[in-house]
């Protein structure tokens, strides 16, 4: 994401998108043919390079090819593009895994990339070739180095269960401190202090992503472990959440800036909290699975109603030489927030007994809910007071 943002500000998004698509496809091929976990992880690393860069490149393409008045609809379209994968993806992935093995899920995804590449070629042809020297933007090697430090901190958090119990608190403190220091040059100034405007938009993107991901990952696991769902059936919750996300995005695209941006953001956060509390209550009180399925559908709607606003407002308030950097900052916050919460939830999950213990799931959903509460608390700074009438 950091390299892609820097590259797009220097040379435009064309090369970024082409390189990222090739890298992502190569990652799928490696994972789909991997004979060992080590090879699988290497393939996932390639996928991460490709998908992280691609998102940044697409955001910059939107800023170059579409007028600002169309940005709400375009970003709503991005979110709505989840609807078909959301309808069929989890169910197909579960069914393919049961019938043929998980390798074929990734091979199938690679085949699906072919029409996706074909559809974006016309947009790439419309982009002018840009001279890096004329842009006035240089390579920021220090930011790239800091991004490696942030990645190392996230890896350390995800390996928390591999270290002795006595060392876990120390690893958490050191990793979180390193992450906080490393993220500062990768994000707009005063992001971690929730400064009004773009910094808080970036911060909130990370917080809501963390809250959503923290629940989304563990819900199918909960349905399989405690309610005896088959893998294909457990994907139903994610499917409905994706559909409601797409529906809300479509509605938001039609509404434009209505309701007011701050109101829309807060509505989204509250709906996320509703779904997380439904998941927590289901695990704690062993309620009917219907509760968690309905709750997560509500959460998906909240994400769809809120999520496109972050990109629209960030691009609106960014200069031409900042669009790549701020787009990468949005996706960095998104990724880092999810990674940190998953690491902390994973550690709590293991300590509290894992899949066989309802308390382990309660802890994971509790962490996600706490992050959503923080997002709601800082939401008032996302829109500067002078611009709240927009």
């Amino acid at each position: 994401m950091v390299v892609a943002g820097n590259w797009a500000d220097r040379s435009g998004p064309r090369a970024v998108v082409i390189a990222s698509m090739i890298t992502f496809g190569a990652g799928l091929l490696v994972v789909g043919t991997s004979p060992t976990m080590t090879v699988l992880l290497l393939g996932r690393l390639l996928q991460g390079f490709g998908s992280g860069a691609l998102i940044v490149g697409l955001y910059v393409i939107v800023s170059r090819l579409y007028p600002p008045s169309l940005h709400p609809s375009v970003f709503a379209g991005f979110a709505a593009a989840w609807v078909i994968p959301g309808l069929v993806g989890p169910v197909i992935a579960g069914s393919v895994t049961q019938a043929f093995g998980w390798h074929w899920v990734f091979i199938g995804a690679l085949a699906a990339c072919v029409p996706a590449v074909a559809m974006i070629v016309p947009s790439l042809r419309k982009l002018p070739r840009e001279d890096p020297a004329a842009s006035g933007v240089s390579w920021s090697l220090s930011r790239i180095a800091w991004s490696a430090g942030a990645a190392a901190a996230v890896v350390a958090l995800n390996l928390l269960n591999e270290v002795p119990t006595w060392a876990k608190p120390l690893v958490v403190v050191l990793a979180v401190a390193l992450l906080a220091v490393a993220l500062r040059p990768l994000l707009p100034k005063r992001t971690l202090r929730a400064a009004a405007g773009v910094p808080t938009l970036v911060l909130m993107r990370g917080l809501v992503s963390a809250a959503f991901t923290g629940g989304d990952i563990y819900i199918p696991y909960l349905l399989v472990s405690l309610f005896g769902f088959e893998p294909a059936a457990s994907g139903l919750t994610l499917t409905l959440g994706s559909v409601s996300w797409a529906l809300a995005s479509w509605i938001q695209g039609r509404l434009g800036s209505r309701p007011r941006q701050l109101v829309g953001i807060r509505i989204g956060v509250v709906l996320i909290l509703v779904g997380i509390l439904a998941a927590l209550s289901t695990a704690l009180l062993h309620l009917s699975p219907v509760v968690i399925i309905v709750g997560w559908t509500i959460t998906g709607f909240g994400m769809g109603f809120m999520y496109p606003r972050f990109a629209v407002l960030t691009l609106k308030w960014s200069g031409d030489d900042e669009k790549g950097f701020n787009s990468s900052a949005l996706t960095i916050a998104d990724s880092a927030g999810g990674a940190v919460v998953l690491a902390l939830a994973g550690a709590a999950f293991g300590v509290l007994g894992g899949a066989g213990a309802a308390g382990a799931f309660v802890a994971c959903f509790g962490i996600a809910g706490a992050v959503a509460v923080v997002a709601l608390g800082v939401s008032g700074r996302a829109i500067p007071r002078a611009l709240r009438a927009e």
Side-chain angles (χ1 to χ4, degrees):
M1 294 170 186
V2 173
V3 172
N6 199 173
W7 193 359
D9 283 337
R10 275 177 52 82
S11 309
R14 183 206 303 266
V16 174
V17 171
I18 293 172
S20 63
M21 290 190 297
I22 292 172
T23 306
F24 182 74
L28 283 173
L29 182 61
V30 171
V31 174
T33 58
S34 59
T36 66
M37 178 59 76
T38 300
V39 177
L40 183 147
L41 291 175
L42 290 174
R44 291 290 290 167
L45 183 66
L46 284 174
Q47 281 185 262
F49 281 130
S51 60
L54 180 60
I55 295 170
V56 174
L58 292 178
Y59 278 23
V60 179
I61 285 179
V62 171
S63 72
R64 300 291 176 87
L65 294 184
Y66 292 86
S69 61
L70 290 180
H71 286 181
S73 296
V74 174
F75 285 108
F78 275 5
W82 286 94
V83 68
I84 294 177
L87 280 169
V88 301
V91 175
I92 289 179
S95 301
V96 170
T97 299
Q98 287 179 226
F100 305 105
W102 59 265
H103 287 85
W104 288 98
V105 174
F106 293 91
I107 298 298
L110 179 60
C113 287
V114 176
V117 171
M119 285 188 285
I120 201 173
V121 168
S123 294
L124 294 177
R125 288 175 176 167
K126 294 179 182 178
L127 292 169
R129 295 189 179 276
E130 301 182 29
D131 181 7
S135 70
V137 178
S138 59
W139 282 109
S140 181
L141 298 181
S142 62
R143 282 182 183 158
I144 295 172
W146 280 117
S147 72
V154 171
V155 170
L157 287 172
N158 277 275
L159 294 178
L160 202 57
N161 284 330
E162 306 299 322
V163 301
T165 302
W166 63 267
K168 287 181 180 180
L170 179 62
V171 172
V172 170
V173 170
L174 292 177
V176 170
L178 173 59
L179 186 61
V181 172
L183 284 177
R184 289 187 65 185
L186 310 182
L187 305 176
K189 291 181 179 179
R190 298 188 295 165
T191 293
L192 300 181
R193 297 181 184 179
V198 171
T200 295
L201 289 172
V202 171
L203 177 63
M204 284 205 64
R205 173 78 169 256
L207 291 172
V208 299
S209 173
F212 181 82
T213 303
D216 204 51
I217 292 296
Y218 283 96
I219 285 174
Y221 204 11
L222 170 68
L223 294 175
V224 170
S225 301
L226 300 185
F227 292 96
F229 277 46
E230 293 293 333
S234 69
L236 174 64
T237 305
L238 305 188
T239 297
L240 293 176
S242 296
V243 172
S244 64
W245 183 325
L247 174 62
S249 298
W250 178 81
I251 292 173
Q252 176 52 40
R254 303 286 291 181
L255 293 175
S257 59
R258 296 172 293 161
R260 290 182 180 179
Q261 299 288 11
L262 180 57
V263 175
I265 289 173
R266 283 177 167 168
I267 288 173
V269 179
V270 169
L271 294 180
I272 290 172
L273 263 173
V274 168
I276 292 173
L277 290 175
L280 190 151
S281 300
T282 302
L284 180 64
L285 305 175
H286 207 73
L287 302 178
S288 167
V290 173
V291 174
I292 201 170
I293 292 171
V294 172
W296 211 246
T297 303
I298 293 172
T299 290
F301 192 93
M303 287 293 287
F305 197 71
M306 168 184 53
Y307 207 72
R309 298 173 188 270
F310 297 130
V312 170
L313 293 173
T314 297
L315 287 179
K316 182 178 180 179
W317 295 335
S318 299
D320 288 340
D321 60 344
E322 299 174 319
K323 293 185 187 298
F325 173 77
N326 286 343
S327 294
S328 72
L330 280 174
T331 52
I332 288 167
D334 197 326
S335 179
V340 170
V341 164
L342 286 181
L344 297 177
F349 192 75
V351 169
L352 295 174
F361 289 103
V362 171
C364 293
F365 296 135
I367 291 171
V371 174
V373 170
V374 173
L376 188 60
V378 302
S379 61
R381 301 184 63 78
I383 313 295
R385 290 186 180 276
L387 301 175
R388 289 185 182 181
E390 296 186 5

